[in-house]
């Protein structure tokens, strides 16, 4: 996690009842000619402007790099921060002789880049080996402020049934090792090899949450709390809930849309908690199935209606989900922008659909890489 993404909710946020939101994004570094991942993070870091280095970090593999936006109340500030950081990082990558891709995992086959030389990562490799022997898995994490851990745990219970829809929205990795995997998010399939990756369980209290963490560490499933890879969790450092389900989004527009919906989902959960409305206690195995379906179909196929267990068109469920969030979106002043951004997503399709459309036109994964690089910067 970058150091700038999440802080205590501001006095203005507390006074207005509005929630702060911050975004982390992970990117892939690739050869501009072949599209294969390259271990270039140190070269790129040297080219990052000094004033932005506090918001840029190395990630797990040397082919990855991460940014974090400062938390804000306005979507416009999130858009500005992500735009500035993406453009600066894309420029730094080009000066280092590589391209920056906002993509879930690398589509082109090539050597596996080494892990970043860091004691914690060395310990992870020693215990778990390289569970994902690929070019790098790149996600998007959204932080939303909460007043205290007990409220945060209740929020986790309320949001967990709806995360498969956000999962479907953010699918952006259909290709791997030079071919179409048949999944809209191959990153999700690979990521689930880690033993602590799972839908967030039903939690009775913050003490229950902490007890599970202690048990997972003592069992050897995790080295530390930072390896709690549930799809939603409490931040170990900041007073936020962190939703970490999606592939990194191809464009700033996509990222802003997801950030707005995540904040509205948390705000809706807070309103339900205050009103005494119980969370939907969805069965864990149904959620596992819903997330698998999201990774497989993305937004262009079918999704699991967690209220019935039946399959329905993903867009139909997404439209209902957004209608449910409308009061919170209007409260934060986000409704008009979200409506516009959803229209763009409907026209252009998910990141996975866009990649497949380019490949269908040209038959070349290098063209897919170039198009993703364009979206990343623009």
């Amino acid at each position: 996690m970058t150091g700038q993404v999440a802080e205590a909710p501001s006095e203005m946020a507390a006074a207005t009842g509005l929630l702060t939101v911050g975004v982390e994004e992970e990117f892939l570094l690739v050869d501009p000619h072949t599209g294969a991942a390259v271990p270039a993070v140190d070269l790129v870091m040297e080219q990052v402007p000094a004033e932005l280095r506090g918001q840029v970090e190395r990630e797990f593999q040397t082919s990855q790099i991460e940014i974090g936006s400062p938390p804000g109340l306005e979507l416009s500030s999130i858009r500005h921060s992500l735009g500035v950081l993406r453009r600066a990082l894309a420029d730094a990558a080009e000066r280092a002789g590589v391209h920056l891709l906002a993509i879930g995992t690398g589509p082109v086959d090539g050597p596996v880049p080494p892990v970043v030389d860091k004691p914690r990562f060395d310990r992870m490799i020693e215990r778990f080996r390289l569970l994902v022997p690929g070019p790098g898995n790149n996600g998007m994490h959204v932080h939303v402020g909460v007043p205290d851990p007990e409220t945060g745990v209740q929020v986790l219970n309320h949001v967990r049934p709806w995360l498969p829809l956000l999962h479907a929205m953010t699918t952006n990795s259909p290709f791997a090792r030079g071919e179409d995997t048949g999944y809209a998010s191959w990153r999700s399939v690979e990521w689930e090899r880690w033993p602590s990756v799972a839908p967030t369980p039903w939690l009775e209290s913050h003490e229950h949450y902490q007890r599970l963490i202690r048990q997972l560490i003592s069992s050897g499933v995790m080295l530390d709390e930072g390896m709690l890879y549930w799809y939603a969790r409490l931040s170990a450092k900041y007073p936020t809930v962190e939703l970490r389900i999606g592939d990194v989004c191809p464009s700033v527009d996509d990222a802003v849309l997801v950030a707005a919906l995540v904040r509205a989902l948390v705000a809706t959960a807070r309103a339900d908690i205050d009103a005494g409305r119980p969370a939907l206690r969805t069965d864990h195995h149904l959620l596992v199935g819903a997330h698998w379906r999201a990774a497989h179909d993305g937004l262009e196929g079918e999704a699991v209606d967690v209220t019935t267990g039946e399959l329905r068109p993903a867009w139909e469920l997404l439209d209902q989900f957004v209608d449910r969030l409308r009061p919170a979106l209007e409260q934060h002043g986000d409704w008009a922008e979200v409506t516009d951004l959803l229209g763009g997503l409907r026209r252009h399709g998910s990141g996975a659909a866009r990649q497949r459309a380019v490949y269908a036109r040209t038959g070349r994964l290098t063209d897919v890489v170039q198009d993703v690089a364009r979206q990343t910067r623009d």
Side-chain angles (χ1 to χ4, degrees):
M1 174 192 287
T2 53
Q4 298 290 323
V5 72
E7 302 167 353
S10 67
E11 291 182 8
M12 182 181 295
T16 61
L18 303 180
L19 304 183
T20 57
V21 61
V23 174
E24 296 171 340
E25 295 186 303
E26 299 163 350
F27 303 97
L28 190 68
L29 303 171
V30 301
D31 184 292
H33 305 292
T34 67
V38 289
V41 67
D42 288 339
L43 295 174
V44 176
M45 290 290 288
E46 291 173 0
Q47 299 296 326
V48 174
E51 66 272 16
L52 297 179
R53 287 179 185 171
Q55 295 170 260
V56 181
E57 279 192 355
R58 294 165 179 81
E59 240 298 319
F60 187 63
Q61 286 173 260
T62 52
S63 53
Q64 297 175 277
I65 197 164
E66 179 182 16
I67 63 171
S69 75
L73 290 173
E74 302 291 337
L75 286 188
S76 57
S77 67
I78 300 300
R79 176 183 294 281
H80 174 75
S81 295
L82 293 180
V84 167
L85 286 165
R86 280 183 175 223
R87 286 190 293 273
L89 210 55
D91 288 343
E94 290 187 9
R95 288 193 293 272
V98 299
H99 278 177
L100 183 78
L101 298 189
I103 195 169
T105 192
V108 177
D109 200 11
V112 177
V115 172
V116 168
D117 185 13
K118 187 176 179 181
R120 180 171 179 267
F121 294 163
D122 292 341
R123 293 196 303 272
M124 289 171 68
I125 291 297
E126 182 180 0
R127 178 173 299 179
F128 301 102
R129 311 308 296 171
L130 190 57
L131 288 179
V132 184
N137 288 66
N138 304 302
M140 173 187 181
H141 308 154
V142 182
H143 289 255
V144 181
V146 291
D148 56 77
E150 287 293 350
T151 300
V153 164
Q154 293 184 64
V155 167
L156 295 180
N157 284 341
H158 278 259
V159 305
R160 61 193 288 273
W162 312 110
L163 299 189
L165 286 173
L166 295 172
H167 193 168
M169 274 185 66
T170 54
T171 48
N172 187 35
S173 50
F175 297 101
R177 298 176 181 85
E179 62 182 15
D180 193 320
T181 64
Y183 283 77
S185 174
W186 187 246
R187 180 202 68 89
S188 302
V189 177
E190 293 191 323
W191 182 234
E192 287 172 1
R193 296 176 184 175
W194 289 94
S196 56
V197 174
T200 308
W202 182 269
L203 299 161
E204 301 298 336
S205 64
H206 185 233
E207 193 283 326
H208 181 206
Y209 180 91
Q210 292 178 310
R211 185 169 70 250
L212 283 173
I213 290 173
R214 291 193 299 270
Q215 291 169 339
L216 290 170
I217 292 173
S218 64
S219 71
V221 168
M222 307 188 311
L223 291 179
D224 50 39
E225 188 172 349
M227 283 191 68
L228 186 70
Y229 298 143
W230 293 344
Y231 299 151
R233 68 182 188 182
L234 303 182
S235 170
K237 296 182 178 179
Y238 305 104
T240 64
V241 291
E242 179 187 3
L243 276 65
R244 42 187 299 116
I245 180 54
D247 291 354
V248 63
C249 291
S251 73
V252 170
D253 273 354
D254 299 310
V256 169
L257 174 59
V258 173
L261 293 179
V262 167
R263 175 167 64 178
L265 177 58
V266 173
T268 301
R270 291 279 303 278
D272 287 343
I273 292 164
D274 291 344
R277 290 186 287 268
L280 180 64
R281 193 159 181 167
T282 308
D283 183 84
H284 173 80
H285 293 286
L286 180 60
L287 281 182
V288 170
H291 280 289
W292 175 85
R293 192 80 199 197
H296 184 273
D297 284 27
L299 195 53
E300 284 68 38
E302 292 187 300
V304 176
D305 183 340
V306 295
T307 66
T308 65
E310 301 297 325
L311 286 177
R312 291 171 57 190
W315 262 108
E316 183 179 306
L317 288 175
L318 181 59
D319 286 338
Q320 290 184 1
F321 174 64
V322 173
D323 285 342
R324 182 174 181 272
L325 302 184
R326 181 167 183 167
L329 290 167
E330 290 180 336
Q331 178 191 11
H332 286 83
D334 297 342
W335 175 252
E337 184 164 2
V338 163
T339 300
D340 182 60
L341 292 173
L342 277 172
L345 183 63
R346 198 184 299 271
R347 289 191 300 274
H348 303 305
S350 66
R354 291 173 224 171
Q355 290 186 44
R356 283 170 166 155
V358 171
Y359 188 74
R361 288 197 303 271
T362 72
R364 294 187 297 270
L365 284 176
T366 51
D367 290 336
V368 172
V369 167
Q370 293 300 321
D371 188 68
V372 174
R374 175 191 59 80
Q375 292 183 73
T376 302
R377 175 187 290 278
D378 293 343

